[in-house]
Amino acid sequence: MAENISYIDRSVESCLNSEMTNTDCGQCSEFAQLLLGLTSPCGFEFPASPPVWLDKDLFDVGIKFYHRNLVGILASSGEALIMGLALPTFYKPLAFSGATSKNKRAALMRYMETGRHIYGRWYGGKPWEEGCDAAESLNLVNKMHKHVADMITKAGDSFEEKVDGAFIDYEVEGDQAKILKEELADLKESFDIPSEYYDYMNGK
């Protein structure tokens, strides 16, 4: 294989050529399919009907699991959000939209609204049933994401500049922020980060 092949290309090839089962390998055919679509534009079209592979019985099992494990799911979702803020493909659209970077209150209200959608509506109905809370919420969120995506496309080459501008005069301060910056600097000096990591982080 060529030396300049991306991390994602190698992951896809590994998944598709692997004879391992899902329990033997952390990468499976479903994950490979997701990776293959990473660079494909999203149409942001809400599906008119459920996918053919939908198992409605398993869906009900998942909803029951959610209600039995609400606290753990809330905690893991919070951790996932924090980790997501380290991904350029995640934090740059947020910064560009200005929805969470103007001030602390704006960020708090933004995430509270997200929480109301996810935990108050997504698990309260079946999204393939027109008019239910889950379908209406997902449709609205889909439209919001499309709006930001259209803004980014329109911005073109000025996107990165506008993202950088969103962080001007918004320096995080305080003792904890100072400690975090020092520890991150030490990690970068002591740990050799492979180029594949940056390829993955930047969606290349």
Side-chain angles (χ1 to χ4, degrees):
M1 297 174 65
E3 291 184 358
N4 64 346
I5 190 169
S6 72
Y7 166 83
I8 290 173
D9 290 333
R10 288 198 298 271
S11 297
V12 170
E13 183 177 49
S14 174
C15 287
L16 295 179
N17 291 336
S18 175
E19 295 181 354
M20 297 180 179
T21 64
N22 291 359
T23 56
D24 295 326
C25 176
Q27 298 169 331
C28 61
S29 59
E30 290 85 355
F31 182 62
Q33 291 176 3
L34 290 175
L35 289 175
L36 286 172
L38 185 65
T39 57
S40 299
C42 177
F44 294 99
E45 296 179 357
F46 193 77
S49 59
V52 294
W53 46 259
L54 174 66
D55 187 323
K56 296 182 180 180
D57 291 333
L58 281 180
F59 178 89
D60 291 335
V61 170
I63 293 296
K64 291 177 181 177
F65 178 88
Y66 163 78
H67 288 295
R68 289 197 308 269
N69 300 276
L70 180 58
V71 174
I73 291 174
L74 286 170
S76 61
S77 295
E79 291 180 352
L81 172 62
I82 293 172
M83 288 187 289
L85 293 175
L87 296 172
T89 50
F90 186 105
Y91 78 75
K92 286 185 178 182
L94 278 176
F96 177 81
S97 69
T100 59
S101 57
K102 296 299 182 184
N103 55 63
K104 292 181 180 179
R105 178 172 175 76
L108 177 62
M109 296 304 294
R110 170 68 174 78
Y111 290 121
M112 285 179 62
E113 184 64 21
T114 298
R116 278 195 288 266
H117 272 282
I118 296 175
Y119 304 109
R121 306 184 70 180
W122 288 10
Y123 296 92
K126 299 177 179 179
W128 61 86
E129 295 180 353
E130 185 176 356
C132 76
D133 280 349
E136 290 182 352
S137 175
L138 288 167
N139 205 0
L140 176 61
V141 171
N142 195 49
K143 290 179 180 178
M144 292 169 61
H145 287 169
K146 183 180 187 305
H147 175 67
V148 175
D150 289 342
M151 289 171 57
I152 293 173
T153 300
K154 185 177 180 180
D157 294 337
S158 65
F159 171 69
E160 294 290 346
E161 180 182 347
K162 291 182 178 180
V163 169
D164 292 338
F167 292 100
I168 296 176
D169 299 327
Y170 287 97
E171 184 74 15
V172 179
E173 301 176 352
D175 292 338
Q176 290 299 317
K178 181 180 179 181
I179 293 172
L180 176 61
K181 290 178 181 178
E182 291 174 350
E183 290 183 347
L184 287 174
D186 291 340
L187 282 173
K188 289 179 179 179
E189 290 180 0
S190 61
F191 186 74
D192 184 21
I193 301 176
S195 60
E196 291 88 351
Y197 169 79
Y198 293 104
D199 288 343
Y200 176 77
M201 291 288 282
N202 290 288
K204 293 182 180 179

